[in-house]
Amino acid sequence: MPLRRRSFGLFMASRVGANRIAGLNPRGALATVHITFRVPRSVLTWALLGTLIRAVSVYVMVGVWRAVAAAGTIDMGTYNYLASYTLIAAAVGGLMSPRTSMSEHIASGSLAVRMMWPIRPTVLFSMEWIGPVIWRVFMNVVAMLIVGSTLSVSFPPIIRLPLFAASLGLAAAVGLYIDFAFALLTMNLNNGVWFVESIRSAVTALVSGAVIPLHFIPWGLGDAFKWLPFAATAAAPLEVYLGGRAPLQLILFQTAWAVVGTISLTAAWRFTSTKLMAAGG
């Protein structure tokens, strides 16, 4: 084996070993969250504009539900459920549908550089996502509370918030696994980023229940979708808060998919990272 290739292989092996050790140390992860949490003024301005546009679109959507209820097509109880569902989904949607920058780094070819950083790539991308999503979700929550108050929407009691918070954390974990799975799929499809992203955008919003409740989807499709991992990211936490199904059963359902995601993602990452290093070295 040539000396340069051998030294490169030993270097990559040492970095992978360092990544495994550093990935278990929370200091690097917390430092990443702290750095990415800081928001430049230019970014904050556009984020506020995006929140305003989201609030207007949700106001129109909930207004349609209100008009349908006023016409007698649905009762006020159904209207309040749909309105609450729409507002909460818009408020915490950033936590229910995580989008990390892993796919972007795959497309640009910079993932190999990230793999040499002293932290596991999956941990790094997760922490980079958490930083900005905290303040974005905060702005969305404030905006949706204002929209809900103007449309006389009554939200569930506060006593459900602890279970909702736990379910939302599991939803974020499962959502990250799904995001990484799509990213690894693009890598195994020879960088088919746009193809995978188009499929993901078209399918996940519907089958996850982020747009409308799954039991409103006709032809029995909603009953099938509720067992998919996508339902664990949106439909499950929303139903936990709104009282759709037994909350403990929903949390157990999310936990099961989180465990499956951990095992499957670990195996897939080992295979794909080895393939990447073999191609690059």
Side-chain angles (χ1 to χ4, degrees):
M1 176 183 295
L3 180 60
R4 289 182 59 187
R5 179 168 295 185
R6 182 179 181 183
S7 61
F8 179 81
L10 292 174
F11 174 74
M12 287 297 295
S14 66
R15 298 311 298 172
V16 172
N19 286 349
R20 291 177 179 175
I21 296 174
L24 300 176
N25 188 350
R27 290 184 179 180
L30 293 177
T32 303
V33 174
H34 178 71
I35 293 172
T36 56
F37 182 77
R38 298 179 179 179
V39 187
R41 291 184 178 179
S42 58
V43 175
L44 182 60
T45 301
W46 289 108
L48 288 171
L49 179 60
T51 301
L52 178 61
I53 295 174
R54 177 184 290 267
V56 172
S57 62
V58 172
Y59 184 90
V60 173
M61 183 178 297
V62 176
V64 170
W65 292 124
R66 188 178 181 88
V68 171
T73 306
I74 60 174
D75 56 65
M76 291 305 296
T78 303
Y79 157 72
N80 194 76
Y81 178 84
L82 290 172
S84 301
Y85 194 99
T86 303
L87 288 168
I88 298 170
V92 298
L95 292 173
M96 296 189 302
S97 57
R99 293 289 183 120
T100 68
S101 60
M102 179 179 280
S103 296
E104 298 175 8
H105 285 282
I106 293 174
S108 63
S110 58
L111 180 62
V113 177
R114 286 299 187 97
M115 291 179 66
M116 292 188 290
W117 287 24
I119 187 171
R120 289 179 181 174
T122 51
V123 175
L124 174 63
F125 289 122
S126 299
M127 296 304 104
E128 287 180 346
W129 164 78
I130 289 176
V133 82
I134 294 174
W135 53 266
R136 290 180 184 273
V137 168
F138 175 77
M139 289 193 301
N140 287 332
V141 168
V142 173
M144 295 309 137
L145 286 175
I146 295 174
V147 172
S149 63
T150 58
L151 292 173
S152 302
V153 178
S154 59
F155 293 98
I158 300 178
I159 194 173
R160 295 182 184 175
L161 284 178
L163 282 177
F164 177 60
S167 179
L168 202 57
L170 289 169
V174 177
L176 284 171
Y177 293 141
I178 293 174
D179 180 79
F180 293 141
F182 276 109
L184 296 181
L185 179 61
T186 63
M187 189 184 301
N188 286 280
L189 289 178
N190 296 323
N191 205 12
V193 177
W194 303 115
F195 172 72
V196 174
E197 281 296 318
S198 61
I199 294 178
R200 177 181 179 180
S201 301
V203 174
T204 55
L206 177 64
V207 301
S208 66
V211 179
I212 58 175
L214 292 181
H215 57 269
F216 278 77
I217 299 178
W219 309 305
L221 294 176
D223 294 332
F225 292 160
K226 70 180 181 181
W227 298 107
L228 298 177
F230 305 103
T233 64
L238 291 172
E239 290 187 10
V240 165
Y241 187 46
L242 296 173
R245 286 186 284 170
L248 294 180
Q249 293 181 1
L250 290 169
I251 290 177
L252 287 175
F253 164 72
Q254 290 179 286
T255 304
W257 273 117
V259 172
V260 171
T262 302
I263 297 173
S264 58
L265 180 64
T266 301
W269 176 254
R270 287 177 179 175
F271 170 77
T272 307
S273 58
T274 304
K275 179 180 178 181
L276 176 65
M277 285 187 290

